[in-house]
Amino acid sequence: TNNIPLAIRLTGVLDSAALEAAWGDVVGRHETLRTRYPDDGGSAHQEILAAVPARIDTAAVRDEALDAAMAAEAARGFRLETELPWRATLYEISPAEHVLLIIVHHIAADGWSMGVLMRDLSAAYTARAEGRTPDWAPLPVQY
């Protein structure tokens, strides 16, 4: 119930390496995506990691099985003490059709901030697909 799923259908040629690098750029930009909440004697605290791998899992799926696969992934919980508060899966339906599913725990995002993450992901993907890093100003504050 605390998971926020976001599915983005991608059509056409996809540079999956650029997509994964772009997601890494987004995770690097937003500390909330690099934060765990370990228990320290009955009291949780934030542990903001300096750098984390931002891997996107991939799965081949038939279009008719896509909804069930995404629903199962969105229903999985998080172990916030040890895991980052997000998961990303790229479902390949065909070589020219994919769905990127990003699940973020509500502790790290809300409906409004998911739009910010997707805006940043789009900008980072455009940059990475052109062979460069995103050219964005540092965030004035962190969530």
Side-chain angles (χ1 to χ4, degrees):
T1 60
N2 290 318
N3 292 353
I4 303 171
L6 178 68
I8 305 164
R9 188 170 289 268
L10 306 166
T11 56
V13 176
L14 177 69
D15 183 338
S16 57
L19 181 62
E20 190 167 71
W23 181 242
D25 293 329
V26 172
V27 171
R29 180 170 170 79
H30 297 278
E31 340 182 290
T32 189
L33 299 176
R34 300 187 322 273
T35 302
R36 297 185 297 203
Y37 300 86
D39 186 331
D40 186 18
S43 178
H45 67 276
Q46 288 181 308
E47 178 184 29
I48 302 169
L49 305 173
V52 299
R55 197 169 132 60
I56 298 176
D57 294 330
T58 58
V61 65
R62 294 182 329 276
D63 199 23
E64 60 271 11
L66 178 63
D67 287 345
M70 289 193 309
E73 184 62 22
R76 282 193 320 124
F78 288 93
R79 300 179 112 188
L80 296 174
E81 311 82 32
T82 58
E83 295 177 348
L84 294 171
W86 61 267
R87 287 188 302 274
T89 306
L90 181 65
Y91 294 97
E92 181 180 345
I93 300 163
S94 74
E97 189 171 4
H98 300 79
V99 174
L100 176 63
L101 177 66
I102 297 176
I103 310 290
V104 180
H105 190 281
H106 199 334
I107 201 166
D110 58 18
W112 180 85
S113 58
M114 291 298 282
V116 171
L117 295 178
M118 290 308 97
R119 181 195 68 217
D120 284 356
L121 179 59
S122 177
Y125 178 75
T126 298
R128 291 296 183 167
E130 293 172 354
R132 57 184 179 83
T133 59
D135 182 25
W136 46 36
L139 294 172
V141 295
Q142 291 285 337
Y143 174 70

